[in-house]
mmCIF file of all heavy atoms in Angstrom:
data_model
loop_
_atom_site.group_PDB
_atom_site.id
_atom_site.type_symbol
_atom_site.label_atom_id
_atom_site.label_comp_id
_atom_site.label_asym_id
_atom_site.label_seq_id
_atom_site.Cartn_x
_atom_site.Cartn_y
_atom_site.Cartn_z
ATOM 1 N N THR A 304 98.156 53.073 107.509
ATOM 2 C CA THR A 304 96.933 52.600 108.174
ATOM 3 C C THR A 304 97.231 51.808 109.446
ATOM 4 O O THR A 304 96.707 50.724 109.661
ATOM 5 C CB THR A 304 96.055 51.752 107.222
ATOM 6 O OG1 THR A 304 96.754 50.550 106.849
ATOM 7 C CG2 THR A 304 95.705 52.535 105.974
ATOM 8 N N ARG A 305 98.047 52.398 110.304
ATOM 9 C CA ARG A 305 98.384 51.713 111.546
ATOM 10 C C ARG A 305 98.844 52.708 112.606
ATOM 11 O O ARG A 305 99.216 53.849 112.298
ATOM 12 C CB ARG A 305 99.507 50.698 111.310
ATOM 13 C CG ARG A 305 100.842 51.349 110.904
ATOM 14 C CD ARG A 305 101.918 50.338 110.529
ATOM 15 N NE ARG A 305 103.151 51.009 110.131
ATOM 16 C CZ ARG A 305 104.228 50.377 109.672
ATOM 17 N NH1 ARG A 305 104.223 49.058 109.553
ATOM 18 N NH2 ARG A 305 105.319 51.055 109.333
ATOM 19 N N ILE A 306 98.772 52.265 113.839
ATOM 20 C CA ILE A 306 99.408 52.953 114.952
ATOM 21 C C ILE A 306 100.686 52.177 115.270
ATOM 22 O O ILE A 306 100.651 50.958 115.409
ATOM 23 C CB ILE A 306 98.503 52.976 116.190
ATOM 24 C CG1 ILE A 306 97.238 53.791 115.914
ATOM 25 C CG2 ILE A 306 99.248 53.543 117.399
ATOM 26 C CD1 ILE A 306 96.184 53.630 116.994
ATOM 27 N N GLN A 307 101.807 52.875 115.371
ATOM 28 C CA GLN A 307 103.039 52.231 115.834
ATOM 29 C C GLN A 307 103.306 52.661 117.271
ATOM 30 O O GLN A 307 103.155 53.830 117.624
ATOM 31 C CB GLN A 307 104.225 52.596 114.946
ATOM 32 C CG GLN A 307 104.148 52.018 113.535
ATOM 33 C CD GLN A 307 105.514 51.983 112.887
ATOM 34 O OE1 GLN A 307 106.429 51.313 113.360
ATOM 35 N NE2 GLN A 307 105.659 52.702 111.768
ATOM 36 N N ILE A 308 103.723 51.695 118.090
ATOM 37 C CA ILE A 308 103.959 51.942 119.506
ATOM 38 C C ILE A 308 105.438 51.731 119.808
ATOM 39 O O ILE A 308 106.037 50.739 119.386
ATOM 40 C CB ILE A 308 103.098 51.000 120.374
ATOM 41 C CG1 ILE A 308 101.619 51.113 119.976
ATOM 42 C CG2 ILE A 308 103.263 51.333 121.857
ATOM 43 C CD1 ILE A 308 100.727 50.101 120.652
ATOM 44 N N PHE A 309 106.028 52.677 120.551
ATOM 45 C CA PHE A 309 107.461 52.642 120.871
ATOM 46 C C PHE A 309 107.664 52.925 122.352
ATOM 47 O O PHE A 309 106.807 53.520 123.014
ATOM 48 C CB PHE A 309 108.223 53.721 120.075
ATOM 49 C CG PHE A 309 108.081 53.624 118.593
ATOM 50 C CD1 PHE A 309 107.050 54.278 117.928
ATOM 51 C CD2 PHE A 309 108.982 52.880 117.839
ATOM 52 C CE1 PHE A 309 106.919 54.194 116.550
ATOM 53 C CE2 PHE A 309 108.865 52.782 116.467
ATOM 54 C CZ PHE A 309 107.826 53.448 115.812
ATOM 55 N N ASP A 310 108.837 52.525 122.860
ATOM 56 C CA ASP A 310 109.230 53.060 124.148
ATOM 57 C C ASP A 310 109.885 54.420 123.906
ATOM 58 O O ASP A 310 110.029 54.865 122.762
ATOM 59 C CB ASP A 310 110.124 52.086 124.915
ATOM 60 C CG ASP A 310 111.526 51.913 124.313
ATOM 61 O OD1 ASP A 310 111.938 52.703 123.438
ATOM 62 O OD2 ASP A 310 112.216 50.968 124.740
ATOM 63 N N GLN A 311 110.302 55.085 124.966
ATOM 64 C CA GLN A 311 110.795 56.454 124.810
ATOM 65 C C GLN A 311 112.211 56.532 124.243
ATOM 66 O O GLN A 311 112.702 57.629 123.957
ATOM 67 C CB GLN A 311 110.689 57.189 126.143
ATOM 68 C CG GLN A 311 109.250 57.408 126.566
ATOM 69 C CD GLN A 311 109.112 58.159 127.861
ATOM 70 O OE1 GLN A 311 109.919 59.053 128.178
ATOM 71 N NE2 GLN A 311 108.090 57.833 128.643
ATOM 72 N N ASP A 312 112.837 55.383 124.024
ATOM 73 C CA ASP A 312 114.126 55.349 123.351
ATOM 74 C C ASP A 312 113.991 54.981 121.878
ATOM 75 O O ASP A 312 114.988 54.815 121.180
ATOM 76 C CB ASP A 312 115.060 54.348 124.040
ATOM 77 C CG ASP A 312 115.509 54.831 125.411
ATOM 78 O OD1 ASP A 312 115.759 56.039 125.552
ATOM 79 O OD2 ASP A 312 115.584 54.003 126.340
ATOM 80 N N GLY A 313 112.742 54.821 121.427
ATOM 81 C CA GLY A 313 112.517 54.515 120.025
ATOM 82 C C GLY A 313 112.457 53.044 119.700
ATOM 83 O O GLY A 313 112.406 52.668 118.522
ATOM 84 N N LYS A 314 112.445 52.189 120.720
ATOM 85 C CA LYS A 314 112.336 50.751 120.474
ATOM 86 C C LYS A 314 110.912 50.416 120.046
ATOM 87 O O LYS A 314 109.953 50.749 120.732
ATOM 88 C CB LYS A 314 112.704 49.969 121.729
ATOM 89 C CG LYS A 314 112.580 48.451 121.562
ATOM 90 C CD LYS A 314 112.864 47.729 122.870
ATOM 91 C CE LYS A 314 112.665 46.217 122.726
ATOM 92 N NZ LYS A 314 112.889 45.514 124.012
ATOM 93 N N PHE A 315 110.785 49.722 118.918
ATOM 94 C CA PHE A 315 109.478 49.330 118.400
ATOM 95 C C PHE A 315 108.864 48.275 119.304
ATOM 96 O O PHE A 315 109.504 47.276 119.651
ATOM 97 C CB PHE A 315 109.612 48.785 116.981
ATOM 98 C CG PHE A 315 108.343 48.217 116.412
ATOM 99 C CD1 PHE A 315 107.362 49.047 115.895
ATOM 100 C CD2 PHE A 315 108.127 46.840 116.403
ATOM 101 C CE1 PHE A 315 106.183 48.526 115.381
ATOM 102 C CE2 PHE A 315 106.959 46.307 115.893
ATOM 103 C CZ PHE A 315 105.976 47.152 115.377
ATOM 104 N N LEU A 316 107.591 48.495 119.689
ATOM 105 C CA LEU A 316 106.897 47.556 120.565
ATOM 106 C C LEU A 316 105.763 46.822 119.867
ATOM 107 O O LEU A 316 105.574 45.620 120.082
ATOM 108 C CB LEU A 316 106.334 48.305 121.787
ATOM 109 C CG LEU A 316 107.345 49.042 122.668
ATOM 110 C CD1 LEU A 316 106.629 49.799 123.773
ATOM 111 C CD2 LEU A 316 108.369 48.068 123.249
ATOM 112 N N ALA A 317 104.992 47.521 119.044
ATOM 113 C CA ALA A 317 103.837 46.885 118.398
ATOM 114 C C ALA A 317 103.289 47.786 117.300
ATOM 115 O O ALA A 317 103.591 48.979 117.242
ATOM 116 C CB ALA A 317 102.741 46.602 119.427
ATOM 117 N N ALA A 318 102.462 47.177 116.451
ATOM 118 C CA ALA A 318 101.718 47.916 115.433
ATOM 119 C C ALA A 318 100.263 47.489 115.519
ATOM 120 O O ALA A 318 99.962 46.294 115.542
ATOM 121 C CB ALA A 318 102.272 47.652 114.039
ATOM 122 N N TRP A 319 99.364 48.464 115.583
ATOM 123 C CA TRP A 319 97.923 48.187 115.656
ATOM 124 C C TRP A 319 97.259 48.688 114.381
ATOM 125 O O TRP A 319 97.350 49.870 114.036
ATOM 126 C CB TRP A 319 97.310 48.897 116.862
ATOM 127 C CG TRP A 319 97.689 48.319 118.184
ATOM 128 C CD1 TRP A 319 98.427 47.196 118.418
ATOM 129 C CD2 TRP A 319 97.342 48.842 119.481
ATOM 130 N NE1 TRP A 319 98.567 46.975 119.762
ATOM 131 C CE2 TRP A 319 97.907 47.953 120.445
ATOM 132 C CE3 TRP A 319 96.620 49.928 119.914
ATOM 133 C CZ2 TRP A 319 97.765 48.176 121.818
ATOM 134 C CZ3 TRP A 319 96.475 50.148 121.274
ATOM 135 C CH2 TRP A 319 97.039 49.277 122.220
ATOM 136 N N HIS A 320 96.571 47.789 113.700
ATOM 137 C CA HIS A 320 95.847 48.147 112.477
ATOM 138 C C HIS A 320 94.341 48.249 112.707
ATOM 139 O O HIS A 320 93.618 48.683 111.814
ATOM 140 C CB HIS A 320 96.116 47.095 111.392
ATOM 141 C CG HIS A 320 97.522 47.103 110.875
ATOM 142 N ND1 HIS A 320 97.914 47.807 109.756
ATOM 143 C CD2 HIS A 320 98.644 46.496 111.348
ATOM 144 C CE1 HIS A 320 99.206 47.619 109.542
ATOM 145 N NE2 HIS A 320 99.676 46.839 110.500
ATOM 146 N N GLN A 321 93.867 47.857 113.881
ATOM 147 C CA GLN A 321 92.437 47.727 114.121
ATOM 148 C C GLN A 321 91.713 49.052 114.344
ATOM 149 O O GLN A 321 90.489 49.075 114.462
ATOM 150 C CB GLN A 321 92.192 46.802 115.323
ATOM 151 C CG GLN A 321 92.700 47.323 116.665
ATOM 152 C CD GLN A 321 94.128 46.918 116.964
ATOM 153 O OE1 GLN A 321 94.954 46.817 116.080
ATOM 154 N NE2 GLN A 321 94.432 46.693 118.237
ATOM 155 N N PHE A 322 92.473 50.162 114.388
ATOM 156 C CA PHE A 322 91.855 51.457 114.627
ATOM 157 C C PHE A 322 91.685 52.276 113.345
ATOM 158 O O PHE A 322 91.468 53.472 113.397
ATOM 159 C CB PHE A 322 92.656 52.241 115.664
ATOM 160 C CG PHE A 322 92.494 51.707 117.066
ATOM 161 C CD1 PHE A 322 93.367 50.756 117.574
ATOM 162 C CD2 PHE A 322 91.455 52.144 117.871
ATOM 163 C CE1 PHE A 322 93.219 50.251 118.862
ATOM 164 C CE2 PHE A 322 91.294 51.646 119.159
ATOM 165 C CZ PHE A 322 92.181 50.704 119.658
ATOM 166 N N GLY A 323 91.809 51.629 112.197
ATOM 167 C CA GLY A 323 91.562 52.315 110.936
ATOM 168 C C GLY A 323 92.768 53.094 110.449
ATOM 169 O O GLY A 323 93.914 52.659 110.569
ATOM 170 N N MET A 324 92.509 54.264 109.913
ATOM 171 C CA MET A 324 93.549 55.120 109.334
ATOM 172 C C MET A 324 93.717 56.316 110.266
ATOM 173 O O MET A 324 93.074 57.352 110.105
ATOM 174 C CB MET A 324 93.107 55.559 107.936
ATOM 175 C CG MET A 324 94.200 56.062 107.033
ATOM 176 S SD MET A 324 93.580 56.229 105.328
ATOM 177 C CE MET A 324 95.067 56.859 104.542
ATOM 178 N N PRO A 325 94.569 56.204 111.278
ATOM 179 C CA PRO A 325 94.559 57.155 112.393
ATOM 180 C C PRO A 325 95.114 58.529 112.038
ATOM 181 O O PRO A 325 96.165 58.659 111.436
ATOM 182 C CB PRO A 325 95.442 56.470 113.433
ATOM 183 C CG PRO A 325 96.395 55.646 112.625
ATOM 184 C CD PRO A 325 95.604 55.166 111.446
ATOM 185 N N SER A 326 94.360 59.561 112.451
ATOM 186 C CA SER A 326 94.822 60.945 112.325
ATOM 187 C C SER A 326 95.165 61.552 113.673
ATOM 188 O O SER A 326 96.058 62.380 113.778
ATOM 189 C CB SER A 326 93.756 61.810 111.647
ATOM 190 O OG SER A 326 93.654 61.524 110.273
ATOM 191 N N GLY A 327 94.428 61.167 114.717
ATOM 192 C CA GLY A 327 94.662 61.706 116.048
ATOM 193 C C GLY A 327 94.404 60.666 117.116
ATOM 194 O O GLY A 327 93.649 59.716 116.902
ATOM 195 N N ILE A 328 95.048 60.841 118.265
ATOM 196 C CA ILE A 328 94.896 59.913 119.389
ATOM 197 C C ILE A 328 94.750 60.716 120.681
ATOM 198 O O ILE A 328 95.450 61.713 120.896
ATOM 199 C CB ILE A 328 96.113 58.976 119.516
ATOM 200 C CG1 ILE A 328 96.171 58.001 118.338
ATOM 201 C CG2 ILE A 328 96.080 58.193 120.832
ATOM 202 C CD1 ILE A 328 97.416 57.120 118.327
ATOM 203 N N ALA A 329 93.842 60.257 121.547
ATOM 204 C CA ALA A 329 93.730 60.792 122.904
ATOM 205 C C ALA A 329 93.598 59.619 123.861
ATOM 206 O O ALA A 329 93.182 58.524 123.466
ATOM 207 C CB ALA A 329 92.522 61.723 123.020
ATOM 208 N N PHE A 330 93.958 59.862 125.123
ATOM 209 C CA PHE A 330 93.811 58.843 126.152
ATOM 210 C C PHE A 330 92.911 59.364 127.262
ATOM 211 O O PHE A 330 92.741 60.576 127.438
ATOM 212 C CB PHE A 330 95.180 58.467 126.731
ATOM 213 C CG PHE A 330 96.044 57.690 125.780
ATOM 214 C CD1 PHE A 330 97.058 58.325 125.074
ATOM 215 C CD2 PHE A 330 95.838 56.332 125.582
ATOM 216 C CE1 PHE A 330 97.850 57.624 124.183
ATOM 217 C CE2 PHE A 330 96.636 55.614 124.693
ATOM 218 C CZ PHE A 330 97.639 56.255 123.989
ATOM 219 N N SER A 331 92.348 58.448 128.034
ATOM 220 C CA SER A 331 91.478 58.819 129.145
ATOM 221 C C SER A 331 92.182 59.790 130.079
ATOM 222 O O SER A 331 93.366 59.630 130.386
ATOM 223 C CB SER A 331 91.066 57.581 129.936
ATOM 224 O OG SER A 331 90.354 56.664 129.153
ATOM 225 N N ALA A 332 91.413 60.770 130.546
ATOM 226 C CA ALA A 332 91.916 61.703 131.548
ATOM 227 C C ALA A 332 91.483 61.262 132.942
ATOM 228 O O ALA A 332 91.682 61.987 133.913
ATOM 229 C CB ALA A 332 91.402 63.112 131.267
ATOM 230 N N ASN A 333 90.892 60.072 133.032
ATOM 231 C CA ASN A 333 90.504 59.502 134.322
ATOM 232 C C ASN A 333 91.101 58.094 134.424
ATOM 233 O O ASN A 333 92.094 57.806 133.779
ATOM 234 C CB ASN A 333 88.975 59.492 134.467
ATOM 235 C CG ASN A 333 88.284 58.834 133.272
ATOM 236 O OD1 ASN A 333 88.867 57.963 132.597
ATOM 237 N ND2 ASN A 333 87.061 59.243 132.994
ATOM 238 N N ASP A 334 90.493 57.220 135.170
ATOM 239 C CA ASP A 334 91.059 55.882 135.389
ATOM 240 C C ASP A 334 90.532 54.827 134.421
ATOM 241 O O ASP A 334 90.785 53.631 134.619
ATOM 242 C CB ASP A 334 90.769 55.425 136.823
ATOM 243 C CG ASP A 334 91.485 56.284 137.860
ATOM 244 O OD1 ASP A 334 92.581 56.789 137.554
ATOM 245 O OD2 ASP A 334 90.932 56.462 138.969
ATOM 246 N N GLU A 335 89.813 55.216 133.374
ATOM 247 C CA GLU A 335 89.228 54.225 132.472
ATOM 248 C C GLU A 335 90.265 53.505 131.614
ATOM 249 O O GLU A 335 90.046 52.386 131.163
ATOM 250 C CB GLU A 335 88.199 54.886 131.559
ATOM 251 C CG GLU A 335 86.922 55.292 132.261
ATOM 252 C CD GLU A 335 85.888 55.814 131.294
ATOM 253 O OE1 GLU A 335 86.118 56.896 130.724
ATOM 254 O OE2 GLU A 335 84.860 55.143 131.092
ATOM 255 N N ASP A 336 91.399 54.149 131.354
ATOM 256 C CA ASP A 336 92.484 53.554 130.561
ATOM 257 C C ASP A 336 92.011 53.171 129.159
ATOM 258 O O ASP A 336 92.212 52.056 128.686
ATOM 259 C CB ASP A 336 93.059 52.340 131.267
ATOM 260 C CG ASP A 336 94.464 51.978 130.757
ATOM 261 O OD1 ASP A 336 95.118 52.858 130.153
ATOM 262 O OD2 ASP A 336 94.890 50.833 130.961
ATOM 263 N N LEU A 337 91.394 54.136 128.485
ATOM 264 C CA LEU A 337 90.922 53.936 127.119
ATOM 265 C C LEU A 337 91.757 54.751 126.147
ATOM 266 O O LEU A 337 92.314 55.790 126.500
ATOM 267 C CB LEU A 337 89.450 54.351 126.991
ATOM 268 C CG LEU A 337 88.432 53.556 127.815
ATOM 269 C CD1 LEU A 337 87.048 54.183 127.699
ATOM 270 C CD2 LEU A 337 88.398 52.104 127.365
ATOM 271 N N ILE A 338 91.838 54.270 124.914
ATOM 272 C CA ILE A 338 92.462 55.008 123.824
ATOM 273 C C ILE A 338 91.360 55.424 122.850
ATOM 274 O O ILE A 338 90.443 54.643 122.557
ATOM 275 C CB ILE A 338 93.541 54.162 123.113
ATOM 276 C CG1 ILE A 338 94.191 54.984 121.989
ATOM 277 C CG2 ILE A 338 93.001 52.843 122.610
ATOM 278 C CD1 ILE A 338 95.375 54.297 121.338
ATOM 279 N N TYR A 339 91.426 56.660 122.388
ATOM 280 C CA TYR A 339 90.447 57.222 121.460
ATOM 281 C C TYR A 339 91.201 57.568 120.173
ATOM 282 O O TYR A 339 92.114 58.400 120.192
ATOM 283 C CB TYR A 339 89.810 58.480 122.044
ATOM 284 C CG TYR A 339 89.085 58.237 123.355
ATOM 285 C CD1 TYR A 339 89.795 58.043 124.550
ATOM 286 C CD2 TYR A 339 87.694 58.202 123.412
ATOM 287 C CE1 TYR A 339 89.140 57.824 125.751
ATOM 288 C CE2 TYR A 339 87.022 57.990 124.609
ATOM 289 C CZ TYR A 339 87.752 57.802 125.774
ATOM 290 O OH TYR A 339 87.102 57.583 126.965
ATOM 291 N N VAL A 340 90.818 56.938 119.085
ATOM 292 C CA VAL A 340 91.533 57.112 117.822
ATOM 293 C C VAL A 340 90.601 57.761 116.806
ATOM 294 O O VAL A 340 89.509 57.242 116.517
ATOM 295 C CB VAL A 340 92.064 55.777 117.284
ATOM 296 C CG1 VAL A 340 92.839 56.000 115.996
ATOM 297 C CG2 VAL A 340 92.956 55.107 118.333
ATOM 298 N N TYR A 341 91.037 58.877 116.258
ATOM 299 C CA TYR A 341 90.237 59.683 115.342
ATOM 300 C C TYR A 341 90.652 59.368 113.905
ATOM 301 O O TYR A 341 91.798 59.571 113.518
ATOM 302 C CB TYR A 341 90.420 61.168 115.661
ATOM 303 C CG TYR A 341 89.932 61.527 117.048
ATOM 304 C CD1 TYR A 341 90.695 61.233 118.184
ATOM 305 C CD2 TYR A 341 88.690 62.119 117.244
ATOM 306 C CE1 TYR A 341 90.240 61.530 119.461
ATOM 307 C CE2 TYR A 341 88.225 62.434 118.512
ATOM 308 C CZ TYR A 341 89.003 62.140 119.621
ATOM 309 O OH TYR A 341 88.546 62.426 120.891
ATOM 310 N N ASP A 342 89.697 58.873 113.130
ATOM 311 C CA ASP A 342 89.943 58.432 111.756
ATOM 312 C C ASP A 342 89.085 59.266 110.817
ATOM 313 O O ASP A 342 87.882 59.057 110.701
ATOM 314 C CB ASP A 342 89.599 56.944 111.633
ATOM 315 C CG ASP A 342 89.790 56.403 110.217
ATOM 316 O OD1 ASP A 342 90.104 57.182 109.310
ATOM 317 O OD2 ASP A 342 89.607 55.177 110.030
ATOM 318 N N SER A 343 89.705 60.225 110.145
ATOM 319 C CA SER A 343 88.984 61.105 109.220
ATOM 320 C C SER A 343 89.166 60.696 107.768
ATOM 321 O O SER A 343 88.645 61.360 106.872
ATOM 322 C CB SER A 343 89.486 62.550 109.386
ATOM 323 O OG SER A 343 90.881 62.630 109.110
ATOM 324 N N GLU A 344 89.882 59.606 107.520
ATOM 325 C CA GLU A 344 90.284 59.299 106.149
ATOM 326 C C GLU A 344 89.750 57.977 105.591
ATOM 327 O O GLU A 344 89.682 57.805 104.382
ATOM 328 C CB GLU A 344 91.814 59.268 106.063
ATOM 329 C CG GLU A 344 92.510 60.483 106.650
ATOM 330 C CD GLU A 344 92.124 61.780 105.954
ATOM 331 O OE1 GLU A 344 92.120 61.819 104.712
ATOM 332 O OE2 GLU A 344 91.801 62.749 106.677
ATOM 333 N N SER A 345 89.405 57.016 106.441
ATOM 334 C CA SER A 345 89.040 55.693 105.935
ATOM 335 C C SER A 345 87.784 55.735 105.060
ATOM 336 O O SER A 345 86.779 56.355 105.413
ATOM 337 C CB SER A 345 88.807 54.723 107.096
ATOM 338 O OG SER A 345 90.018 54.318 107.667
ATOM 339 N N ASP A 346 87.849 55.063 103.941
ATOM 340 C CA ASP A 346 86.710 54.919 103.044
ATOM 341 C C ASP A 346 87.010 53.745 102.114
ATOM 342 O O ASP A 346 88.016 53.060 102.275
ATOM 343 C CB ASP A 346 86.443 56.210 102.257
ATOM 344 C CG ASP A 346 87.677 56.761 101.570
ATOM 345 O OD1 ASP A 346 88.363 55.978 100.859
ATOM 346 O OD2 ASP A 346 87.986 57.955 101.724
ATOM 347 N N ASN A 347 86.149 53.533 101.146
ATOM 348 C CA ASN A 347 86.324 52.392 100.245
ATOM 349 C C ASN A 347 87.523 52.537 99.316
ATOM 350 O O ASN A 347 87.918 51.571 98.659
ATOM 351 C CB ASN A 347 85.063 52.194 99.410
ATOM 352 C CG ASN A 347 83.893 51.720 100.246
ATOM 353 O OD1 ASN A 347 84.065 51.343 101.405
ATOM 354 N ND2 ASN A 347 82.696 51.743 99.682
ATOM 355 N N VAL A 348 88.078 53.745 99.257
ATOM 356 C CA VAL A 348 89.231 53.999 98.393
ATOM 357 C C VAL A 348 90.519 53.984 99.210
ATOM 358 O O VAL A 348 91.472 53.271 98.898
ATOM 359 C CB VAL A 348 89.085 55.349 97.651
ATOM 360 C CG1 VAL A 348 90.311 55.615 96.777
ATOM 361 C CG2 VAL A 348 87.818 55.355 96.803
#
Side-chain angles (χ1 to χ4, degrees):
T304 64
R305 65 186 179 184
I306 296 169
Q307 292 200 62
I308 306 173
F309 302 89
D310 70 13
Q311 293 181 34
D312 290 322
K314 179 184 177 182
F315 174 80
L316 301 176
W319 289 355
H320 291 266
Q321 65 270 34
F322 287 92
M324 199 169 179
S326 287
I328 292 175
F330 289 101
S331 299
N333 52 27
D334 294 329
E335 288 186 292
D336 200 20
L337 297 174
I338 181 173
Y339 300 75
V340 182
Y341 297 78
D342 178 355
S343 60
E344 309 299 313
S345 285
D346 51 50
N347 291 349
V348 179

